[in-house]
Amino acid sequence: MKKIAILGCTGSIGRQTLDIVRSNPTEYQITGLSCGTNAVELGAAAREFGCFRLGIADKNKYAELKELCPKAEIYCGDAALTAVSDYADVVVVAVVGMIGLKAVLYALSKGKTVALANKESLVAGGKLVTDALKNGGKLCPVDSEHSAVWQCLRGEKSFKRIILTASGGPFYFTDKSKLDGVTPEQAVAHPNWNMGKKISVDSATMMNKGLEIIEARWLFDTTEIDYVIHPESIVHSMVEFDDGSIKAQAGFPDMRLPIRYAIDYPEHSRRDYTPLALPLELRFLPPDENKFPAPALARHAIEKGGNTSIVLNAANEAAVRLFLEGKIKFPDIIKIVEKAVCTEPLSQVKNEYDVYQTHNRVYSKIYLDNRG
Ligand code: MG
């Protein structure tokens, strides 16, 4: 039985991971669960899966959780991201935000397999995370695009370039002049994937693809990364080889597939799934970086190196929050990120402290400067 800890078990990926365990109770055992603040949902999951090692980031929820699960060992604050994974073989890191880095570095330092669904840890701490792999741990991407690339690269010795696919979000076909009037409600309504608010806005601005380009740089150790717009989200990404051959990985857009692949790697385990309905019409369209400059900014961040990806990520996080709070317009999100990436001084990142220090400084500065 594979032992699994889920950090961020009340979010979209966390719930779908629990769903996989629920459908395959003889294959997996949940040995740790944590979340940010939702004690009620965490308590219910703990009881359902018989898990007694729990973490809740919000210390104020300790008493509530203890009452729901009197026998459980409960960790709060940072320990909710670390101690909770101690008895697991596979740690699913599905928390949102920079705190994911702490969880990933801890699990890798213990030589565990990390099923990674947190973007920020690689975007902001890519070098630290890849260095931490020296301890014998394994990094298995959960994001559908990176999972696709990973699957395409199996058995291959070298490749020419990665071609990520992007749905284009809800506004790929919208005229640029109309983007000014986009509301938070429109931005979070993604056509193909059901995701959290932050990532849905990132998908609408195409920053999601930008962040994925940076992640791919660290996961696959290359800067040869392009992307195409593929509105159907059936082909999850491709890899081109030196002879011109292109491998693509495809499937119905259902995150349970890449989650399970990350947990069961290298097996494609048997599962119930929705077969692709035929006929299928697939489009591959060129990106429009005049309308959506975020991926170009991400490439710039990779080239500039040092702390630039941290700055980009922090500025984006603050700007998305400002947009969701109705304080800035949709196109301002990327304008704010661009300004930060171009004006913040370049510095080197030596450790976890540097990452958090830069992130917090840029995030607060941008949030406070723009909240009105
Ligand atoms: Mg993705």
Side-chain angles (χ1 to χ4, degrees):
M1 251 198 183
K2 213 165 246 181
K3 297 190 179 85
I4 298 177
I6 308 174
L7 311 183
C9 71
T10 57
S12 166
I13 297 292
R15 285 178 188 160
Q16 293 181 79
T17 309
L18 286 174
D19 205 34
I20 291 168
V21 176
R22 190 176 286 121
S23 317
N24 302 277
T26 57
E27 287 171 53
Y28 312 108
Q29 184 194 353
I30 298 284
T31 58
L33 289 172
S34 79
C35 75
T37 61
N38 193 341
V40 173
E41 189 173 333
L42 174 60
R47 285 195 306 272
E48 179 185 350
F49 293 94
C51 172
F52 298 104
R53 201 169 182 82
L54 307 178
I56 190 148
D58 184 352
K59 291 185 181 74
N60 299 320
K61 296 292 177 86
Y62 176 87
E64 188 183 346
L65 186 58
K66 191 75 193 169
E67 198 167 317
L68 291 166
C69 306
K71 282 193 213 147
E73 259 178 73
I74 298 173
Y75 299 88
C76 295
D78 283 352
L81 295 162
T82 54
V84 171
S85 67
D86 275 350
Y87 296 121
D89 306 314
V90 180
V91 183
V92 179
V93 179
V95 297
V96 177
M98 285 294 300
I99 47 164
L101 178 62
K102 194 168 285 300
V104 172
L105 291 177
Y106 180 82
L108 289 179
S109 78
K110 303 275 173 188
K112 294 183 187 293
T113 295
V114 171
L116 184 65
N118 169 272
K119 288 196 186 251
E120 291 80 0
S121 41
L122 271 182
V123 169
K127 176 83 172 63
L128 304 178
V129 171
T130 44
D131 284 352
L133 288 170
K134 285 183 205 120
N135 302 309
K138 219 164 52 179
L139 197 56
C140 302
V142 165
D143 206 352
S144 60
E145 290 82 355
H146 302 105
S147 178
V149 171
W150 192 39
Q151 292 179 54
C152 291
L153 286 175
R154 266 184 80 179
E156 303 290 351
K157 287 199 176 72
S158 65
F159 62 94
K160 191 170 176 196
R161 65 173 177 140
I162 288 169
I163 307 166
L164 300 177
T165 52
S167 70
F171 310 123
Y172 178 74
F173 296 105
T174 305
D175 196 75
K176 191 179 177 188
S177 63
K178 300 249 161 57
L179 294 180
D180 247 10
V182 164
T183 63
E185 292 69 33
Q186 291 168 326
V188 299
H190 193 277
N192 304 343
W193 298 98
N194 187 5
M195 310 177 287
K197 270 188 188 171
K198 159 74 168 52
I199 182 170
S200 295
V201 175
D202 285 345
S203 181
T205 61
M206 296 288 294
M207 182 51 91
N208 186 47
K209 213 46 54 183
L211 299 177
E212 288 177 359
I213 289 172
I214 300 174
E215 286 182 278
R217 179 257 170 275
W218 292 109
L219 281 169
F220 307 110
D221 194 21
T222 179
T223 53
E224 299 300 318
I225 307 159
D226 292 315
Y227 68 102
V228 291
I229 306 297
H230 170 45
E232 292 77 20
S233 298
I234 295 294
V235 171
H236 300 307
S237 278
M238 305 179 255
V239 177
E240 187 177 313
F241 297 91
D242 289 325
D243 59 356
S245 168
I246 294 177
K247 268 196 200 174
Q249 187 268 339
F252 188 80
D254 176 348
M255 284 307 294
R256 284 170 300 182
L257 193 160
I259 295 169
R260 184 123 188 240
Y261 187 71
I263 294 172
D264 283 354
Y265 175 82
E267 306 296 330
H268 278 284
S269 310
R270 193 189 171 91
R271 62 187 276 272
D272 292 328
Y273 60 91
T274 313
L276 286 174
L278 299 173
L280 202 57
E281 209 171 294
L282 301 181
R283 291 166 295 173
F284 296 94
L285 308 169
D288 181 349
E289 294 198 341
N290 175 40
K291 191 156 78 174
F292 297 110
L297 272 176
R299 278 214 190 83
H300 174 71
I302 293 174
E303 275 162 35
K304 203 168 158 190
N307 61 348
T308 318
S309 295
I310 307 171
V311 171
L312 172 136
N313 179 62
N316 182 60
E317 235 176 81
V320 170
R321 179 174 168 195
L322 289 160
F323 170 69
L324 288 172
E325 290 175 356
K327 305 213 166 80
I328 60 170
K329 287 183 177 167
F330 181 74
D332 295 336
I333 300 173
I334 300 304
K335 283 182 198 155
I336 286 174
V337 177
E338 184 171 14
K339 187 175 162 214
V341 164
C342 296
T343 57
E344 281 294 326
L346 181 67
S347 69
Q348 292 313 310
V349 180
K350 289 183 281 309
N351 49 42
E352 212 179 322
Y353 174 80
D354 289 349
V355 176
Y356 286 108
Q357 202 269 341
T358 306
H359 176 88
N360 294 339
R361 181 179 57 77
V362 174
Y363 181 93
S364 338
K365 183 175 147 200
I366 288 177
Y367 184 71
L368 298 175
D369 281 357
N370 293 279
R371 72 177 167 172

